[in-house]
Amino acid sequence: MAENTEKQTASSKLNSFIESKKKIFITCLIILLCAIVGYIIAAVVINNAKVANLTALDDISYTLTESSASLEESELTARRIDAVEKLEAYTSKGGIVGARANMLKADLLYQQKNYAESAEAWKATASKAAKTYIEPIAYYNLAVCNEELGQNEEAIANYKLAADNKDFILKTHAAFSYGRALESAGKYAEAFTAYSDLYGSNPDDSWAKLAKTRMLTLQIEGKAE
């Protein structure tokens, strides 16, 4: 009997507590529901904006390449300049939109031999596309621009970043370019090691075989042991 009374007392206390806090519970529930609804709306708006931006980039790319095979070089140049100007509205955006906009801008600037600005656009691409398949592509092309600008140390560093990405489809090409950049900088021992690492891990790859010939050449020339 005492046990039942104790249970009833505990239950009554719980009910009284819930009743006294009912307004607070309801308020919290409303706030939570509003937050969920707000998140859903924000997600939809953001997604719609991303789709619209990507569509705009596709339009810029299409306009750039439409019937381009029949155009004179001056007309192609005019199209590239126009495309770069239009891309400026998207290069500052984050995520895939910013990455794609900077990627296209960098390629167009490289075609115009504007290697300095192309390099900056490739840097932005790498930053906005971190941890995606685009990142090593950006570092590789950034290294190419570095070489055009005579920036050997930067080229070495960026080729290495590209080569170290295990998912990069041109990984062995980047690894060979890394060794070649080291060799061009007169760092023969490091270049030999880079070539050796490439050949040792991918002996049947065409770039690895070319690395093997460079190793032999360095040894013949007395630049490596």
Side-chain angles (χ1 to χ4, degrees):
M1 187 70 175
E3 185 179 347
N4 290 335
T5 301
E6 185 178 337
K7 287 183 178 178
Q8 290 176 358
T9 301
S11 178
S12 297
K13 288 181 178 179
L14 178 60
N15 289 335
S16 297
F17 175 77
I18 292 174
E19 186 65 26
S20 66
K21 302 297 183 182
K22 183 164 63 176
K23 289 184 178 180
I24 296 176
F25 290 151
I26 292 173
T27 301
C28 289
L29 180 60
I30 291 172
I31 292 172
L32 178 61
L33 289 174
C34 288
I36 292 172
V37 171
Y39 174 80
I40 292 172
I41 292 173
V44 170
V45 170
I46 291 171
N47 185 66
N48 288 343
K50 183 172 75 171
V51 171
N53 288 333
L54 290 174
T55 300
L57 292 179
D58 287 338
D59 289 342
I60 293 172
S61 182
Y62 177 77
T63 301
L64 176 68
T65 58
E66 183 185 15
S67 304
S68 59
S70 60
L71 297 178
E72 298 290 334
E73 183 59 33
S74 59
E75 294 174 301
L76 290 172
T77 298
R79 279 196 182 188
R80 292 175 190 135
I81 293 171
D82 181 60
V84 169
E85 290 177 353
K86 290 178 178 177
L87 287 168
E88 288 301 325
Y90 305 95
T91 53
S92 62
K93 296 186 181 297
I96 187 62
V97 173
R100 279 190 56 187
N102 278 285
M103 192 175 185
L104 181 54
K105 177 184 175 182
D107 186 48
L108 292 171
L109 290 169
Y110 187 87
Q111 290 177 43
Q112 297 172 40
K113 301 187 186 304
N114 189 342
Y115 304 123
E117 289 190 33
S118 180
E120 290 303 314
W122 282 122
K123 282 183 188 177
T125 301
S127 175
K128 293 174 185 291
K131 298 181 180 179
T132 72
Y133 74 96
I134 295 176
E135 184 181 19
I137 296 173
Y139 281 126
Y140 181 86
N141 285 289
L142 174 54
V144 173
C145 289
N146 292 148
E147 286 197 286
E148 292 287 356
L149 294 166
Q151 300 168 342
N152 289 339
E153 291 303 317
E154 290 87 344
I156 290 169
N158 287 313
Y159 278 132
K160 185 72 163 58
L161 286 171
D164 285 347
N165 191 303
K166 61 183 179 60
D167 298 320
F168 186 30
I169 192 170
L170 299 177
K171 179 180 174 63
T172 56
H173 189 174
F176 176 82
S177 296
Y178 169 61
R180 178 183 52 72
L182 285 167
E183 189 177 346
S184 296
K187 299 181 178 183
Y188 303 118
E190 292 178 57
F192 187 88
T193 298
Y195 290 141
S196 179
D197 289 343
L198 172 56
Y199 184 75
S201 58
N202 301 274
D204 296 324
D205 182 86
S206 58
W207 289 105
K209 291 177 180 177
L210 189 56
K212 180 66 173 178
T213 65
R214 293 308 307 157
M215 291 167 63
L216 294 172
T217 299
L218 287 173
Q219 288 177 320
I220 291 170
E221 292 177 349
K223 295 176 180 177
E225 296 181 0

